[in-house]
């Protein structure tokens, strides 16, 4: 548990590459204030693609959506405000 004065706030943004495929972060919700430094991220994207997660423009994890398009992972974040973004990597590598 994180001390309340060292809370984590998560702001989420998702965007797409120049292809029509879309990605979406479903949880946590924008503006979430989790009670733990471990944040579960769930979302959807094109099956088998590479989805890169960033914290304030710094890459922190790459995930591959399953056959049904869903992905999930856990990020360990330091106390403070975080802007988690997701982007679709073209052909498995960042665009």
């Amino acid at each position: 548990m994180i001390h309340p004065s060292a809370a984590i706030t998560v702001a989420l943004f998702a965007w797409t590459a120049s292809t029509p495929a879309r990605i979406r972060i479903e949880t946590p919700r924008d503006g979430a204030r989790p009670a733990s430094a471990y944040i579960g991220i769930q979302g959807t994207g094109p099956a088998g693609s590479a989805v890169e997660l960033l914290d304030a423009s710094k890459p922190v994890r790459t995930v591959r959506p399953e056959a049904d398009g869903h992905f999930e992972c856990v990020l360990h974040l330091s106390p403070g405000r975080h802007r988690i973004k997701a982007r679709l990597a073209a052909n498995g590598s960042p665009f």
Side-chain angles (χ1 to χ4, degrees), residues 50-65:
V51 174
E52 188 173 43
L53 300 175
L54 303 100
D55 183 2
S57 301
K58 177 184 172 191
V60 292
R61 176 78 50 91
T62 299
V63 296
R64 293 202 180 268

Side-chain angles (χ1 to χ4, degrees), residues 4 10-11 13 20 23 28 39 47 49 60 64 66 70 72 78 81 84 91:
V10 180
F13 300 89
I23 58 172
I39 310 303
S49 66
V60 292
R64 293 202 180 268
E66 304 277 334
H70 287 89
E72 60 182 39
S78 60
R81 295 186 60 84
I84 305 301
N91 298 322

Side-chain angles (χ1 to χ4, degrees), residues 4-62:
S5 65
I8 293 174
T9 301
V10 180
L12 302 169
F13 300 89
W15 69 90
T16 64
S18 59
T19 63
R22 298 214 176 260
I23 58 172
R24 189 170 102 177
I25 296 175
E26 297 172 347
T27 61
R29 298 282 184 206
D30 190 27
R33 297 180 76 87
S36 170
Y38 295 92
I39 310 303
I41 306 289
Q42 296 180 339
T44 58
S49 66
V51 174
E52 188 173 43
L53 300 175
L54 303 100
D55 183 2
S57 301
K58 177 184 172 191
V60 292
R61 176 78 50 91
T62 299

